[in-house]
């Protein structure tokens, strides 16, 4: 609490809301392999299905760090929830 001394509580809350709102919440990945692929995230438990080469799937941003290490996947776009 000492670190926040001098900053009114509403200003601290507003700055948190702005940074949370502007942070990406999803990223889209494209499958560049030759057949199809399913990825099960050990982080969120979400199953991502890439049905064909070129398929693009929206991925939870919490899974991004894991997904960038999966062969034949590449990130293509970040999205934000407003």
């Amino acid at each position: 609490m000492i670190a926040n001394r001098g900053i009114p509580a509403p200003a601290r809350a507003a700055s948190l809301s702005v940074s949370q709102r502007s942070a990406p919440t999803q990223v889209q990945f494209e499958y560049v392999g030759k057949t199809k692929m399913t990825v099960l995230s050990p982080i969120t438990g979400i199953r991502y299905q890439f049905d064909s080469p070129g398929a693009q799937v929206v991925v939870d941003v919490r899974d991004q760090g894991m997904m960038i290490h999966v062969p034949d996947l590449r990130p293509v776009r970040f999205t934000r929830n407003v």
Side-chain angles (χ1 to χ4, degrees):
M1 293 218 184
I2 295 173
N4 293 329
R5 188 176 16 178
I7 300 173
R12 284 194 311 269
S15 66
L16 290 175
S17 297
V18 169
S19 66
Q20 289 172 346
R21 200 174 331 137
S22 63
T25 57
Q26 298 174 326
V27 62
Q28 193 166 358
F29 276 80
E30 181 178 12
Y31 174 59
V32 295
K34 297 186 188 300
T35 58
K36 63 181 181 178
M37 179 170 57
T38 301
V39 178
L40 177 60
S41 168
I43 299 164
T44 61
I46 298 172
R47 182 179 307 269
Y48 299 103
Q49 181 70 42
F50 297 86
D51 292 325
S52 62
Q56 294 185 359
V57 173
V58 174
V59 172
D60 188 298
V61 74
R62 295 171 293 172
D63 292 328
Q64 175 187 0
M66 179 269 310
M67 295 291 274
I68 61 173
H69 297 288
V70 175
D72 297 326
L73 288 183
R74 66 180 180 98
V76 292
R77 182 173 55 214
F78 291 93
T79 58
R80 291 175 171 77
N81 286 346
V82 179

